[in-house]
Amino acid sequence: MAIDSHDQLDDQLLAKFGYKEELQRTMKSYSSFALAFSMISVTTTVFTLFAQPFQTVGGVAIWLWIPVILGTLLLAAVYGHLAVRLPITGYAYHWASRLVNVHYGWFTGWNALLCQFVGSAGIAVATASVFAPDFWDKPTHANIITLAAIAVIIAVVINIISIALTARINNAGASVELIGSISAVVLLGVGLAFFSDKQGVSILFQKGSSTGSPLTLAAFATALLLPIWTIAGWEGAADLAEETHDPRKVAPTAMMRAVAISGLTGFVMYAVFAMAIPGTIADTVNATNFNPMIHIFEVHFGNIGGDILQVVAFVSMFSCLLANVTVATRTCYSLSRDNMLPFSKVFAKVNSQTRTPIAAVIAVGCVAIGVTFLSSGIAAQVTGIVSVVLYVTYGLSLLSAYLGQRRGTIPDAPAGYFDISKRIPMLTLIGMVWAVIVILCMTLPAGSHQVAKMTIYFELAAVIWYFAVLRNRLRKGTAGPHWHRRS
């Protein structure tokens, strides 16, 4: 009865924003955390980009995790505050529209959508890059794209069937990742006391690229990509507000918990695997015919140990892809029901039997597969774009919170809910500075110029659509949040 009562209150609150409950509230506290944890997916990123910090600055890159963890916790706190007061699917788009204006809301929503669309491609490419050597001796670009496309199609089919099935699979995947990752780290950590062939603690202070490239500010900026892309996606818990029981209680806790646990797990996992590297560092991190982390595990625990770790990695990566497709679909649906996108009527339609926006799910899958071709099969290139667009979204959302607090446009919430009202100005200013630093780190180095160009092209698409079509729709009141159309 408690759950039914909360659902009624949540549906009533949604109605005040001008929307009827069309999706299905099936996600509880653990499902919300599991979604955020899977979206982050420490295993996906660390397995994909483990070698990169060694190839740029060396093992000392481990310490870059600390500012990223702290900065992300700050972002999650602000997002938690807004999620309590505006628990709507399409989170960043609605927050920006309500607290600033609908025009600003479009560009915020576009970046959130773009991040999730491209993120789905990035995860698919990352998964394919890690496991392609299991299918082909020397995987080609076509091989990686094929494997990535298959993974996307499976994730799309599951999402079409129902959110309940998606949540069950994701819950299981998150549990496997959490238990498997911690077990692997503990096993390897204990083994460090007995391994004769290892790097040891000294590698955590080792400076120098394994490829011989110089230590520059750009190199450190590139090394930041691993922790930055790892601790990302936690905001997905806020995006599924309309499918969560009591989202105002659940979402803030899920986001903060996912960031803290994932950040700590990633930091320790990277450190332990680095200390366990056998032989010379370069032989492991510069190799192209095997995954460094699986190789490390196999050297110390044999092929069976490596196989088990591969299973954990595969389940984790697929869960991450599944969760990302889910969140991308909901943002697409939210923008479409407000007539903000091309073909909005199609993407906003929710199937009466599955209670899922099938056309939006298919659109996410098609775009994800398309972006994999643009990536040339290079996971780091796609993840670079995701990191830039994600932090643009963070920065725009933080500015919304800052302006909303100053203008008094952030709605009130009942007592007992997550509240950082007094700290909003300070936290948002610090957060915006952090977001700018990350964006510069991801775009200024020479090796990131292609990422910057592709990001600019995507942003130009939003500008063209806005001036060609959307601005006129917003002026006429035929697009935008429902409260905007009534005003």
Side-chain angles (χ1 to χ4, degrees), residues 129-145:
S129 298
V130 171
F131 294 101
D134 292 332
F135 297 92
W136 299 278
D137 290 334
K138 294 181 179 180
T140 64
H141 174 214
N143 297 147
I144 291 174
I145 294 304

Side-chain angles (χ1 to χ4, degrees), residues 155-430:
V156 164
V157 170
I158 294 172
N159 267 278
I160 286 175
I161 294 172
S162 75
I163 183 62
L165 176 62
T166 303
R168 283 197 296 272
I169 294 175
N170 189 65
N171 287 354
S175 299
V176 169
E177 178 175 13
L178 188 58
I179 295 171
S181 299
I182 293 175
S183 298
V185 169
V186 169
L187 189 60
L188 204 57
V190 172
L192 285 171
F194 305 96
F195 300 150
S196 57
D197 190 8
K198 63 185 178 184
Q199 297 298 318
V201 177
S202 63
I203 196 174
L204 304 183
F205 303 93
Q206 174 263 334
K207 285 184 275 186
S209 165
S210 64
T211 60
S213 58
L215 285 178
T216 62
L217 187 60
F220 277 94
T222 304
L224 267 173
L225 180 60
L226 174 56
I228 284 173
W229 198 55
T230 298
I231 316 176
W234 43 269
E235 66 277 5
D239 198 19
L240 267 70
E242 294 174 33
E243 291 162 276
T244 305
H245 296 297
D246 197 9
R248 291 186 294 177
K249 280 283 187 185
V250 169
T253 302
M255 290 188 288
M256 295 289 288
R257 188 176 293 162
V259 170
I261 293 175
S262 297
L264 181 60
T265 301
F267 177 82
V268 175
M269 176 183 286
Y270 182 79
V272 170
F273 272 83
M275 288 188 284
I277 292 176
T280 64
I281 298 172
D283 287 343
T284 296
V285 301
N286 292 347
T288 58
N289 59 336
F290 57 73
N291 179 271
M293 293 184 69
I294 294 174
H295 171 71
I296 292 168
F297 217 71
E298 285 181 341
V299 167
H300 295 300
F301 299 110
N303 291 335
I304 294 178
D307 290 342
I308 293 173
L309 191 62
Q310 276 192 296
V311 170
V312 172
F314 175 77
V315 171
S316 303
M317 290 180 171
F318 182 74
S319 295
C320 180
L321 175 61
L322 184 65
N324 209 91
V325 169
T326 304
V327 173
T329 296
R330 273 47 182 183
T331 301
C332 179
Y333 159 76
S334 180
L335 286 164
S336 296
R337 71 179 174 184
D338 285 353
N339 200 27
M340 301 289 282
L341 295 175
F343 311 110
S344 284
K345 289 184 179 180
V346 176
F347 296 143
K349 191 171 295 184
V350 176
N351 185 275
S352 59
Q353 293 182 321
T354 65
R355 301 289 292 275
T356 57
I358 293 177
V361 178
I362 295 173
V364 171
C366 291
V367 172
I369 293 173
V371 172
T372 61
F373 284 92
L374 297 177
S375 73
S376 298
I378 302 173
Q381 189 168 305
V382 185
T383 55
I385 299 169
V386 174
S387 297
V388 174
V389 178
L390 177 62
Y391 271 82
V392 169
T393 306
Y394 287 158
L396 294 174
S397 298
L398 290 170
L399 181 57
S400 300
Y402 177 80
L403 294 175
Q405 183 72 6
R406 293 199 62 176
R407 297 173 179 176
T409 54
I410 298 179
D412 294 326
Y417 287 100
F418 185 74
D419 190 337
I420 56 167
S421 299
K422 295 180 179 179
R423 299 183 181 88
I424 285 287
M426 177 185 68
L427 293 182
T428 51
L429 288 174
I430 295 173

Side-chain angles (χ1 to χ4, degrees), residues 20-194:
K20 179 184 177 182
E21 178 65 51
E22 291 186 284
L23 304 173
Q24 191 172 18
R25 294 190 187 275
T26 60
M27 299 185 65
K28 298 182 181 179
S29 180
Y30 184 74
S31 294
S32 186
F33 162 75
L35 178 91
F37 184 78
S38 290
M39 286 281 290
I40 294 173
S41 188
V42 173
T43 306
T44 298
T45 320
V46 177
F47 266 70
T48 306
L49 301 179
F50 178 80
Q52 188 184 58
F54 293 102
Q55 295 170 345
T56 51
V57 300
V60 72
I62 180 66
W63 307 109
L64 296 175
W65 281 77
I66 294 177
V68 175
I69 292 171
L70 295 176
T72 310
L73 281 171
L74 183 155
L75 296 173
V78 176
Y79 267 53
H81 184 81
L82 296 178
V84 168
R85 287 147 185 84
L86 292 164
I88 310 176
T89 292
Y91 70 115
Y93 153 67
H94 277 287
W95 300 345
S97 296
R98 178 97 177 191
L99 304 181
V100 184
N101 59 56
V102 292
H103 306 277
Y104 182 83
W106 157 246
F107 290 101
T108 305
W110 167 256
N111 277 279
L113 180 67
L114 177 58
C115 170
Q116 293 158 5
F117 270 53
V118 178
S120 297
I123 297 160
V125 171
T127 304
S129 298
V130 171
F131 294 101
D134 292 332
F135 297 92
W136 299 278
D137 290 334
K138 294 181 179 180
T140 64
H141 174 214
N143 297 147
I144 291 174
I145 294 304
T146 299
L147 200 56
I150 291 172
V152 170
I153 291 170
I154 295 172
V156 164
V157 170
I158 294 172
N159 267 278
I160 286 175
I161 294 172
S162 75
I163 183 62
L165 176 62
T166 303
R168 283 197 296 272
I169 294 175
N170 189 65
N171 287 354
S175 299
V176 169
E177 178 175 13
L178 188 58
I179 295 171
S181 299
I182 293 175
S183 298
V185 169
V186 169
L187 189 60
L188 204 57
V190 172
L192 285 171
F194 305 96

